[in-house]
Amino acid sequence: MSDITGEASAESRTYSISDLAREFDVTTRAIRFYEDKGMISPERRGQTRIYTPADRTKLKLILRGKRLGLTLDESRDIIEMYSPGESNAEQLLKLIRKIRERRDYLTQQMHDLEVMMVDLQESERRCLETLREVAPEAEAKLEPQD
Amino acid sequence: MSDITGEASAESRTYSISDLAREFDVTTRAIRFYEDKGMISPERRGQTRIYTPADRTKLKLILRGKRLGLTLDESRDIIEMYSPGESNAEQLLKLIRKIRERRDYLTQQMHDLEVMMVDLQESERRCLETLREVAPEAEAKLEPQD
DNA sequence: GTTTACCTTTACGTTAACGTAAACCTGGGT
DNA sequence: ACCCAGGTTTACGTTAACGTAAAGGTAAAC
């Protein structure tokens, strides 16, 4: 992937602010806020903002970061990691170290997630067990799953 | 696992507030804050708080939640899910639905994590590539990895 | 021409999760 | 007796990430 600019593709669609707001289920206020923080820089036709597919991708990355509990600053950092920018060796070394740090943290998160997943699965199992003892017919009220 | 009470084991160790603060690298202020929000309820010897292994476990769960980007309220919810409490069929059904909802969200998070992991791995690879072009000797300055 | 549906900026309000400071108690060591 | 390293409560301060008006511009629809 990593086509963050989207310039190579023939895709030249644009989006209004509320297009994106609808698609990702956030408010326009939030999107403008991300712009204030320098994370998205849409063009303007007169006053109104015009978003390219690249802007859309950035927004998607921001929201993915949020779902993982990142702050906006952290997400901005990560997004910058995707597009090197600096070709200086010193900068590249620093960036690689940053990326590895972040990956280590993701590994820790992954582990936390797995453990919590298993724990919840266990809890669900025990709940179902109790439910069957108490009211065997009630289980039908659940979505067909598992 | 799921030994949230810890009552069955012979473990009757106790911890002071700064014991836990040191172990988990949080401030005592934070721990007291979690108590204010009703998430931990240590006993008292006089004025001072005394924490049992069960309390320690709860704190651990809270911090794991934080690492995954949960709010304290969400963590409290999940911790409550671990210990049924209500044996009423209606309550159990609600709880099971809540657990499944949460697990669905975790699944989404898991996916986000995997994608971000792959993206970062890609970025790292490209960085290394550029680094080798620009300054082939500089790579030695990185930790031995990969 | 005026309502409707968008868009804009500016600015104050809000919530969560603590940080930080002040002022105090308390048991053990010298 | 006194200090010191722990503990305590109370309370105000802070930051992030928006929410929520207020007040207005613009273009198409009726």
Side-chain angles (χ1 to χ4, degrees):
Chain A
M1 251 291 140
S2 79
D3 188 12
I4 212 176
T5 67
E7 57 183 35
S9 70
E11 273 278 29
S12 70
R13 244 206 89 175
T14 64
Y15 309 84
S16 78
I17 193 168
S18 49
D19 283 347
L20 294 184
R22 249 188 308 278
E23 176 173 2
F24 294 111
D25 194 35
V26 295
T27 65
T28 60
R29 174 68 178 93
I31 298 181
R32 291 197 195 94
F33 181 74
Y34 302 146
E35 182 177 346
D36 274 8
K37 296 217 84 186
M39 309 181 72
I40 314 182
S41 309
E43 284 153 28
R44 303 280 183 132
R45 173 152 51 216
Q47 284 258 84
T48 75
R49 280 162 249 252
I50 304 213
Y51 296 86
T52 68
D55 294 325
R56 199 189 85 116
T57 299
K58 282 190 186 174
L59 180 56
K60 195 150 67 170
L61 292 180
I62 293 172
L63 298 177
R64 190 172 76 195
K66 290 209 66 184
R67 286 197 300 273
L68 292 175
L70 303 187
T71 67
L72 293 182
D73 284 354
E74 289 170 327
S75 279
R76 186 167 30 63
D77 266 34
I78 291 188
I79 293 176
E80 277 168 14
M81 291 180 196
Y82 290 158
S83 37
E86 325 275 352
S87 309
N88 170 8
E90 196 56 42
Q91 302 286 337
L92 278 174
L93 279 175
K94 268 179 71 175
L95 184 54
I96 292 176
R97 290 206 189 88
K98 250 171 100 175
I99 291 178
R100 289 189 176 173
E101 231 176 82
R102 183 54 68 177
R103 288 214 292 138
D104 285 352
Y105 189 75
L106 289 187
T107 303
Q108 161 74 0
Q109 258 193 106
M110 190 76 95
H111 178 247
D112 285 337
L113 246 169
E114 278 162 4
V115 175
M116 185 174 282
M117 203 72 156
V118 169
D119 284 2
L120 279 183
Q121 211 149 351
E122 241 312 87
S123 295
E124 183 181 331
R125 206 193 48 69
R126 289 206 319 252
C127 275
L128 270 172
E129 202 176 316
T130 309
L131 184 65
R132 278 172 192 146
E133 289 170 13
V134 172
E137 81 289 357
E139 193 180 342
K141 291 192 171 184
L142 290 167
E143 317 299 308
Q145 180 175 338
D146 161 271
Chain B
M1 248 290 139
S2 79
D3 189 12
I4 212 176
T5 66
E7 56 184 36
S9 71
E11 275 277 28
S12 69
R13 243 205 89 176
T14 63
Y15 309 84
S16 77
I17 194 167
S18 48
D19 283 346
L20 294 183
R22 251 187 307 277
E23 177 173 2
F24 295 110
D25 193 36
V26 294
T27 65
T28 60
R29 174 68 177 92
I31 298 181
R32 290 196 197 95
F33 181 74
Y34 302 145
E35 182 177 345
D36 275 9
K37 296 217 83 183
M39 309 180 72
I40 314 181
S41 309
E43 284 153 28
R44 303 281 184 129
R45 175 153 51 215
Q47 285 258 86
T48 75
R49 279 162 249 252
I50 304 212
Y51 295 87
T52 69
D55 294 325
R56 200 190 83 118
T57 300
K58 282 189 186 173
L59 180 56
K60 195 150 64 171
L61 292 179
I62 293 172
L63 298 178
R64 190 172 75 197
K66 290 210 67 183
R67 285 196 302 272
L68 292 175
L70 303 187
T71 68
L72 293 182
D73 284 354
E74 289 171 326
S75 279
R76 186 167 31 63
D77 265 33
I78 291 188
I79 293 176
E80 277 168 14
M81 291 181 198
Y82 289 158
S83 38
E86 325 276 351
S87 310
N88 170 9
E90 196 57 41
Q91 302 286 337
L92 278 174
L93 279 175
K94 270 180 67 177
L95 185 54
I96 292 175
R97 291 205 188 90
K98 251 172 100 175
I99 291 178
R100 289 187 176 173
E101 233 175 78
R102 184 53 69 177
R103 288 214 292 139
D104 286 351
Y105 189 77
L106 289 187
T107 302
Q108 160 76 357
Q109 261 193 102
M110 190 76 94
H111 179 247
D112 286 337
L113 246 170
E114 279 162 4
V115 174
M116 185 174 283
M117 203 71 158
V118 169
D119 284 2
L120 280 183
Q121 211 150 350
E122 241 312 87
S123 295
E124 183 180 331
R125 206 192 50 71
R126 291 206 320 252
C127 276
L128 270 173
E129 201 175 318
T130 310
L131 184 64
R132 278 173 192 145
E133 289 169 11
V134 172
E137 82 289 357
E139 193 180 342
K141 290 190 171 186
L142 290 167
E143 316 300 310
Q145 179 174 335
D146 160 272

